[in-house]
């Protein structure tokens, strides 16, 4: 196992100067005779830390694997990271620091949707190669930005896919849908009507809950009285747990389907108790108990220490995949310039990463819209296994 101190440098809490570099003058930043420096800004503490720490572990895994193979162009890869604590101004400052003080060669992630949207002009003006598979605001890829590359599946598309797949698995059932009054909930709701119409799904209950809500007894009772046989729980963690437990209390043993946004580690499923057997998930990364999922965990255990392995979840697969794509593009460029790497990223075609469908970009799209998969919880292991494969 490589010493991570040679790979990861946590960003110092030093002050930084305003972004003033140009793409022309900064082309060679982050490159020395023996290193290539990559940056990441993530909410490593705060409400979203579980996903962010896992994503960072995935970045780390891909870099360790590459360095063990000799690095790229005779150089080892290093990562410098900044914690924004899920606070937008800190995230914006963190991205600026990466570009102007740390002077990284490329960005692995630019934190959450709000931070990414707030820094898009800064990133595009500079032209630095930028990846983000954690969040993907439309402004990041519509219209296409020469240097920004995104991967995953939108919440609208995820909603359409999960309704289609669950309708195929449980045809003719009546649906209840409960989503939040947040941006996430809005994006999910964009897919409900088109999916219902296209697949002939009868939605008997469709309600929005308020941000911060903890008690879902009224919503689940109303869904139950409306005759709902499938529940689409549109929360993240605690909201979904509360809805599933309330379904069980009312004696409704019907299937529950969740979006990938709430797929973390087994300990977040354990509070659902016996009702966890009804839980389904739609995700663009593979199920834990698929052959690909098992292979990923075996690889992670070869490189990551015990502390990092405790952080690993589906977001680690996402971080691993996006880093592999970036490293592949850097490897294509003997002339290590941003222009070459951006061109190589755009030329990515059917690139295999092992944990999601092959990744492709092109001149007309820098959003790799990944294939979605249906899976279900194994109540014995509290991991997901694939359905229909």
């Amino acid at each position: 196992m490589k010493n991570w101190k040679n790979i990861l440098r946590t960003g110092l809490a030093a002050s930084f100067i305003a972004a003033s570099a140009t793409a022309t003058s900064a082309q060679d930043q982050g490159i020395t005779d023996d290193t290539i420096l990559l940056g990441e800004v993530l909410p490593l503490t705060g409400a979203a830390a579980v996903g962010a720490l896992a994503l960072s572990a995935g970045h780390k895994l891909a870099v360790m694997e590459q360095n063990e193979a000799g690095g790229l162009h005779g150089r080892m890869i290093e990562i410098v990271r900044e914690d924004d604590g899920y606070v937008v101004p800190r995230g914006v400052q963190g991205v600026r620091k990466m570009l102007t003080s740390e002077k990284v060669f490329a960005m692995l992630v630019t934190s959450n949707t709000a931070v990414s949207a707030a820094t898009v002009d800064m990133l595009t003006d500079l032209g630095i190669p930028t990846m983000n598979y954690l969040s993907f605001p439309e402004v990041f890829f519509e219209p296409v930005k020469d240097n920004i590359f995104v991967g995953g599946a939108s919440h609208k598309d995820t909603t359409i896919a999960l309704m289609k797949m669950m309708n195929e698995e449980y045809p003719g059932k009546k649906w209840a849908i409960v989503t939040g009054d947040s941006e996430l909930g809005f994006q999910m709701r964009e897919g409900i009507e088109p999916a219902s119409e296209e697949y002939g799904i009868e939605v008997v209950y469709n309600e929005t809950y308020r941000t911060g809500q903890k008690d879902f007894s009224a919503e689940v009772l109303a869904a139950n009285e409306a005759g709902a046989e499938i529940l689409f729980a549109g929360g993240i963690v605690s909201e979904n747990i509360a809805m599933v437990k309330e379904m069980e209390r009312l004696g409704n043993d019907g299937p529950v389907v969740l979006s990938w946004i709430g797929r973390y580690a087994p300990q977040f499923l354990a509070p659902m108790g016996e009702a966890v057997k009804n839980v389904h998930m739609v995700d663009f990364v593979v199920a834990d108990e698929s052959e690909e999922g098992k292979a990923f965990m075996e690889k992670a255990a070869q490189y990551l220490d015990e502390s990092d392995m405790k952080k690993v979840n589906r977001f680690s697969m996402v971080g691993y995949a996006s880093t592999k794509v970036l490293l592949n593009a850097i490897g294509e460029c003997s002339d290590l310039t941003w222009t070459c790497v951006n061109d190589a990223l755009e030329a990515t075609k059917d690139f295999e990463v092992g944990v999601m469908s092959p990744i492709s970009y092109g001149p007309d799209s820098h959003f790799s819209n990944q294939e979605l998969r249906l899976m279900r919880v194994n109540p014995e292991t509290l991991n997901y296994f694939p359905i229909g494969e």
Side-chain angles (χ1 to χ4, degrees):
M1 181 184 298
K2 298 293 183 182
N3 187 338
W4 182 236
K5 291 181 180 179
N6 296 325
I7 299 168
L8 174 65
R9 297 195 292 108
T10 302
L12 300 176
S15 61
F16 50 86
I17 61 174
S20 59
T22 65
T24 301
S25 64
Q27 284 289 296
D28 296 324
Q29 75 172 39
I31 303 291
T32 71
D33 290 342
D34 53 13
T35 61
I36 299 172
L37 187 62
L38 309 179
E40 62 179 37
V41 178
L42 284 166
L44 300 170
T45 56
V50 173
L53 289 167
L55 191 86
S56 185
H59 295 160
K60 177 177 175 178
L61 171 58
V63 166
M64 294 181 82
E65 184 181 38
Q66 187 67 54
N67 283 346
E68 185 174 74
L72 290 168
H73 309 297
R75 298 172 172 89
M76 295 292 102
I77 316 300
E78 293 186 1
I79 299 176
V80 56
R81 69 180 179 181
E82 189 78 9
D83 173 22
D84 67 16
Y86 209 56
V87 177
V88 175
R90 285 177 58 186
V92 174
Q93 291 174 348
V95 172
R96 192 185 301 276
K97 179 179 177 181
M98 291 294 159
L99 305 184
T100 63
S101 178
E102 298 292 353
K103 294 188 180 298
V104 299
F105 180 71
M107 289 296 299
L108 288 167
V109 62
T110 52
S111 196
N112 59 32
T113 297
V115 174
S116 297
T119 58
V120 64
D121 289 341
M122 187 191 314
L123 296 163
T124 53
D125 286 348
L126 199 60
I128 183 171
T130 301
M131 311 294 290
N132 200 338
Y133 280 40
L134 177 65
S135 66
F136 20 85
E138 194 168 280
V139 69
F140 245 35
F141 54 88
E142 290 291 348
V144 170
K145 310 296 188 294
D146 290 342
N147 62 308
I148 297 180
F149 298 84
V150 184
S154 72
H155 297 299
K156 175 183 176 180
D157 289 343
T158 299
T159 297
I160 293 172
L162 69 82
M163 293 183 74
K164 175 180 183 293
M165 293 176 186
M166 286 294 285
N167 189 53
E168 291 171 349
E169 193 72 17
Y170 302 96
K173 300 293 185 182
K174 297 177 181 179
W175 282 60
I177 298 174
V178 183
T179 51
D181 62 357
S182 60
E183 179 66 17
L184 169 63
F186 171 78
Q187 293 174 16
M188 289 178 170
R189 289 191 293 277
E190 285 188 311
I192 293 170
E193 185 175 342
S196 302
E197 291 181 356
E198 183 170 354
Y199 307 118
I201 296 171
E202 183 181 1
V203 178
V204 296
Y205 182 78
N206 189 354
E207 187 57 69
T208 302
Y209 66 84
R210 63 189 181 280
T211 300
Q213 183 171 327
K214 300 183 184 303
D215 184 352
F216 291 85
S217 56
E219 288 84 356
V220 177
L221 176 60
N224 207 43
E225 291 179 342
E229 299 166 285
I230 293 179
L231 172 65
F232 171 19
I236 298 180
V237 177
S238 59
E239 305 95 336
N240 293 340
I241 292 171
M243 284 186 254
V244 170
K245 290 296 291 180
E246 191 62 26
M247 286 269 287
E248 180 184 43
R249 190 184 72 81
L250 294 175
N252 190 328
D253 202 34
V256 179
V257 61
L258 315 176
S259 166
W260 54 262
I261 190 67
R263 181 181 165 195
Y264 294 119
Q267 60 261 36
F268 293 95
L269 291 169
M272 295 181 185
E274 292 185 7
V276 78
K277 69 182 185 298
N278 298 320
V279 173
H280 299 67
M281 172 73 69
V282 171
D283 200 347
F284 57 88
V285 300
V286 297
D288 313 272
E289 296 187 1
S290 66
E291 291 304 313
E292 300 93 334
K294 293 175 183 176
F296 176 81
M297 292 302 294
E298 289 174 3
K299 178 181 292 186
Q302 293 175 15
Y303 290 94
L304 302 179
D305 61 25
E306 184 178 352
S307 174
D308 280 322
M309 284 300 295
K310 291 179 180 178
K311 303 169 186 173
V312 170
N313 59 45
R314 58 85 61 193
F315 286 94
S316 305
M317 300 186 199
V318 173
Y320 176 81
S322 62
T323 307
K324 294 289 285 185
V325 173
L326 175 60
L327 295 178
N328 178 68
I330 294 173
E332 294 289 321
C333 295
S334 56
D335 179 21
L336 281 177
T337 64
W338 288 347
T339 298
C340 180
V341 173
N342 288 331
D343 288 346
L345 282 166
E346 184 173 272
T348 300
K349 182 68 174 176
D350 293 331
F351 183 69
E352 295 281 355
V353 291
V355 292
M356 61 179 71
S357 58
I359 295 172
S360 297
Y361 295 116
D364 298 326
S365 178
H366 286 188
F367 179 36
S368 177
N369 202 347
Q370 298 306 120
E371 176 186 341
L372 288 148
R373 309 155 190 253
L374 181 64
M375 53 195 74
R376 187 171 183 174
V377 173
N378 179 341
E380 299 298 322
T381 63
L382 297 181
N383 284 317
Y384 287 93
F385 65 89
I387 294 176
E389 293 184 7

